[in-house]
Amino acid sequence: AQSVTQPDIHITVSEGASLELRCNYSYGATPYLFWYVQSPGQGLQLLLKYFSGDTLVQGIKGFEAEFKRSQSSFNLRKPSVHWSDAAEYFCAVAPRSNDYKLSFGAGTTVTVRA
Amino acid sequence: DTAVSQTPKYLVTQMGNDKSIKCEQNLGHDTMYWYKQDSKKFLKIMFSYNNKELIINETVPNRFSPKSPDKAHLNLHINSLELGDSAVYFCASSQDSTGGSYEQYFGPGTRLTVT
């Protein structure tokens, strides 16, 4: 069965520290990969996406993600977090077909402490 | 200008009522979606329309009926509301529905509470 797994439900990180959020997928073929962020009470905003090419993808707000085919992973990283990075982060995948059905992981809540 | 807008932002209603949520996008996109986010923040697609044509219809009760009067609008009508319908409903749009090459832009969400 196709699935998206975010193993970490909640991560607490100090301001200025690095952050890494994990995402693993189980698909028949490499899907399109996305990371979205949801700030409290807000909609979802796309941070970055991977379709093909360079496996290290740069996104907005200083985030990057690395696609590792051998590990079926697409982990999100930020070298130095800011208090405004406290939010819910969702990994999402879509099949490489005409059926553009975005499937989301369960999300990881990030808390930033001063 | 808001790219994807939803009204209302909050909706509190009683069981058995019928309600609608409206969505509009001004991005010129061809495809629009409805997602449901439950209390555990799990997001799941409900419907998708491409140029007013239904292309995705997940396992959703018949009480939920999407309507797309034109490609800039996708409304969600819910009949006979139940407690389990309480959730945040997100509308989204994308340039196209093919190949997943186009990112989806999300609205701010409508928090529905059924009492």
Side-chain angles (χ1 to χ4, degrees):
Chain A
Q2 299 171 338
S3 66
V4 184
T5 303
Q6 293 181 244
D8 305 303
I9 297 173
H10 192 177
I11 288 180
T12 299
V13 61
S14 297
E15 192 169 13
S18 64
L19 174 68
E20 181 167 13
L21 304 181
R22 297 182 289 165
C23 175
N24 295 96
Y25 63 89
S26 175
Y27 259 71
T30 301
Y32 297 111
L33 298 158
F34 308 82
W35 274 100
Y36 282 84
V37 60
Q38 183 180 22
S39 298
Q42 303 296 315
L44 281 80
Q45 181 181 25
L46 182 71
L47 286 175
L48 45 77
K49 58 194 176 191
Y50 173 76
F51 293 152
S52 64
D54 193 346
T55 56
L56 186 61
V57 179
Q58 301 298 319
I60 63 171
K61 303 186 180 187
F63 284 92
E64 66 178 23
E66 185 172 13
F67 167 61
K68 292 186 177 180
R69 184 188 304 273
S70 61
Q71 298 178 18
S72 296
S73 68
F74 187 56
N75 294 347
L76 181 72
R77 297 193 293 256
K78 185 168 185 177
S80 176
V81 300
H82 186 261
W83 63 267
S84 60
D85 293 322
E88 191 80 18
Y89 291 81
F90 293 95
C91 180
V93 303
R96 293 179 183 259
S97 67
N98 289 336
D99 180 12
Y100 183 21
K101 194 181 296 182
L102 202 59
S103 298
F104 286 87
T108 298
T109 303
V110 172
T111 299
V112 180
R113 58 181 175 222
Chain B
D1 284 342
T2 303
V4 183
S5 60
Q6 295 179 229
T7 53
K9 189 169 176 62
Y10 300 96
L11 183 55
V12 181
T13 188
Q14 292 183 329
M15 286 176 55
N17 286 348
D18 303 338
K19 291 292 179 185
S20 291
I21 306 172
K22 295 186 177 182
C23 178
E24 176 181 4
Q25 55 94 3
N26 62 6
L27 298 167
H29 288 169
D30 287 338
T31 307
M32 296 185 71
Y33 311 80
W34 276 111
Y35 289 86
K36 179 180 180 180
Q37 185 176 46
D38 63 23
S39 58
K40 296 184 178 180
K41 298 194 175 180
F42 183 68
L43 272 157
K44 185 171 171 57
I45 190 166
M46 301 172 68
F47 302 103
S48 175
Y49 270 75
N50 179 258
N51 275 322
K52 302 194 298 176
E53 180 182 348
L54 182 66
I55 57 172
I56 294 176
N57 185 351
E58 291 296 279
T59 308
V60 178
N62 291 335
R63 300 182 294 103
F64 290 80
S65 54
K67 286 186 172 50
S68 182
D70 54 62
K71 73 174 191 178
H73 296 85
L74 180 62
N75 303 324
L76 183 65
H77 188 75
I78 315 171
N79 289 327
S80 303
L81 278 155
E82 301 177 356
L83 292 176
D85 298 331
S86 295
V88 180
Y89 293 84
F90 286 100
C91 177
S93 73
S94 66
Q95 185 174 343
D96 200 345
S97 63
T98 59
S101 299
Y102 301 103
E103 65 184 82
Q104 294 186 19
Y105 293 80
F106 282 78
T110 296
R111 182 175 293 277
L112 171 65
T113 303
V114 182
T115 61

